[in-house]
Amino acid sequence: MLFRKASPLSLLLLGALATACGPSQVKPRSIPSAPEGPSHKVSKGFVVTVAPEGIVVGADNKRHAVKPKVTDDFEGPPTSNDWWSSLIWQFDPTEPYSFEMFPHPLTLRALKEGLGLGYSSKAVVKGREYKFPYERDLVVGLEGLASPDTKVASYSDWAVTADWRTGESHLRATFGHGMPFVYFERQGTAAAVVDVSRLVKGDKGEDKPEKADVKVWSDAGGVVGLTVGEHHYGLFAPTSAKWTRKGDTFTSSLDGKDYFSVAVLPDKRPETLKLFREHAYAFITETRVSWKYDEKTAALTTTFATKSTLKDDAAGLSNAPLTALYRHQWLHTADKLLPYEYVSPRGAMKLFVGASFSTTMSFGGVLPVIPVVASVDKAQLEN
């Protein structure tokens, strides 16, 4: 945050406010009595179970109540206020898919054809704004897919699985923070489709189509390495399948299997694509975070753990997923990192291979009040 020197007018206003307020004693609040209407007691307080009059829980921008967009097999409470909330709550009546989502290093948006996918690698600094806007390089889906909406099939601590359906065609995609891969699963026989469909932000923030320079620099064993503009991607079909290119569209029958993945790559070196191929079939199915606090040393250890399923049985593949750590994570981990980096608004992200990693940070607690020291002049403090 930037601070500016206060103007004479603002200083005058602050002085007036200070004079008007004066010193005051904060008195402890009394224990609340039971509220009117349905509620249940929690410790010394209460939780109301019915919204107050005039409050609509789960409303769109027209203040109309909406139900969560979930599949029939969805389990657990429909959470809110998360980076993927627009997938599960339709805030805009005209947008049944999602708004822009930023599970770095990827940027994503659900569409009727599937998932728009990109990598925002350059900051836009304009006036007092600093942001990495959503820009799309690819649209990943199934042949003929035109889903009426996108629903949530499941979620865990930092990942979510989205769902699209058109007739017999059914696509699910799992993605999350620090995941360079999006893991796709299909039902039906429609071919997997990856369209190069570049979309950038114009000067006024509008979506603007842009013709991209597409280069394929590797194509073997169900894996395609391609570059869209300045960004590098890997397309990973089953190892027994292949991709077919027609113009800027890549399709695969998946050799009758039901899975494929797409990843943003840190570079286009052959050894990088080889590394990603080794881990492209370790589909993350669950993400969980847990904490351990040592009060004596004020050390907080946080463990980020994943569960994964190895989808392909070809030789040389690993069930250990690749993930990318934010700067505040890799600065405080002792786990071994790989020499690869991504750009993000929160600083460089570094690649890690494994089911879990931990960070350790000092946490001295939060003081509810600042204690009064013995030598304080209370009269001066109040004034």
Side-chain angles (χ1 to χ4, degrees):
M1 180 177 292
L2 299 176
F3 295 89
R4 297 181 298 174
K5 185 177 179 180
S7 66
L9 177 60
S10 63
L11 290 173
L12 181 62
L13 290 172
L14 286 171
L17 287 171
T19 304
C21 294
S24 61
Q25 182 80 24
V26 179
K27 296 181 179 179
R29 294 183 180 181
S30 58
I31 302 298
S33 56
E36 295 181 3
S39 66
H40 61 84
K41 192 170 177 61
V42 177
S43 184
K44 295 182 179 181
F46 298 86
V47 173
V48 296
T49 55
V50 175
E53 185 178 353
I55 300 297
V56 181
V57 178
D60 62 16
N61 59 7
K62 307 289 186 185
R63 291 184 56 79
H64 298 148
V66 294
K67 293 183 178 180
K69 300 188 299 164
V70 295
T71 58
D72 292 340
D73 58 344
F74 176 87
E75 296 180 352
T79 187
S80 64
N81 201 31
D82 216 326
W83 59 268
W84 51 267
S85 289
S86 62
L87 269 175
I88 194 170
W89 300 103
Q90 187 172 340
F91 184 68
D92 185 340
T94 66
E95 179 48 77
Y97 305 104
S98 85
F99 294 152
E100 297 163 355
M101 299 175 286
F102 297 88
H104 310 120
L106 292 167
T107 58
L108 307 171
R109 184 164 190 168
L111 310 164
K112 69 177 181 179
E113 304 91 347
L115 188 64
L117 187 151
Y119 172 41
S120 296
S121 57
K122 291 183 178 178
V124 175
V125 181
K126 192 181 203 179
R128 298 177 65 184
E129 286 185 343
Y130 164 81
K131 58 186 178 181
F132 286 69
Y134 166 79
E135 292 188 348
R136 188 183 76 205
D137 289 327
L138 310 171
V139 175
V140 185
L142 298 177
E143 209 165 46
L145 186 65
S147 183
D149 56 19
T150 307
K151 296 180 179 180
V152 171
S154 64
Y155 69 92
S156 52
D157 284 355
W158 67 87
V160 65
T161 298
D163 181 283
W164 295 259
R165 300 189 185 212
T166 301
E168 297 300 317
S169 293
H170 179 192
L171 179 70
R172 286 189 172 179
T174 299
F175 45 88
H177 275 300
M179 293 163 55
F181 283 95
V182 179
Y183 307 101
F184 294 92
E185 296 179 273
R186 72 164 182 184
Q187 290 182 11
T189 58
V193 178
V194 178
D195 274 319
V196 176
S197 179
R198 181 95 173 114
L199 197 70
V200 300
K201 290 294 182 185
D203 293 337
K204 298 180 180 179
E206 76 280 9
D207 291 333
K208 188 170 75 172
E210 180 180 271
K211 180 64 178 173
D213 183 20
V214 183
K215 295 179 180 177
V216 173
W217 39 269
S218 182
D219 185 359
V223 177
V224 167
L226 71 153
T227 298
V228 181
E230 298 178 353
H231 302 150
H232 315 297
Y233 295 93
L235 315 182
F236 303 91
T239 53
S240 60
K242 65 178 181 178
W243 293 94
T244 300
R245 180 181 182 181
K246 185 176 181 181
D248 289 342
T249 300
F250 299 80
T251 60
S252 176
S253 68
L254 306 183
D255 191 34
K257 298 179 173 63
D258 63 358
Y259 57 87
F260 66 104
S261 64
V262 176
V264 59
L265 306 175
D267 59 58
K268 63 175 185 178
R269 292 180 299 168
E271 56 267 34
T272 302
L273 186 63
K274 180 177 181 292
L275 170 71
F276 273 72
R277 177 188 178 275
E278 290 172 4
H279 302 275
Y281 306 96
F283 277 39
I284 290 178
T285 58
E286 187 177 337
T287 59
R288 295 295 174 202
V289 61
S290 59
W291 296 271
K292 183 180 179 182
Y293 184 60
D294 186 333
E295 191 170 350
K296 291 182 179 180
T297 62
L300 174 66
T301 300
T302 308
T303 299
F304 300 86
T306 62
K307 291 183 179 179
S308 57
T309 299
L310 187 59
K311 287 289 190 177
D312 203 293
D313 59 3
L317 302 181
S318 171
N319 193 30
L322 283 176
T323 52
L325 278 62
Y326 282 110
R327 186 174 189 273
H328 67 274
Q329 293 173 325
W330 57 257
L331 280 174
H332 299 279
T333 187
D335 291 302
K336 185 179 179 181
L337 302 174
L338 300 178
Y340 298 93
E341 290 188 0
Y342 292 101
V343 174
S344 91
R346 303 178 192 178
M349 302 181 75
K350 296 193 176 187
L351 209 58
F352 169 76
V353 56
S356 68
F357 67 91
S358 297
T359 62
T360 301
M361 303 182 188
S362 296
F363 179 68
V366 178
L367 289 175
V369 294
I370 299 176
V372 177
V373 297
S375 60
V376 71
D377 183 337
K378 291 187 178 180
Q380 182 183 15
L381 180 64
E382 289 182 357
N383 285 331

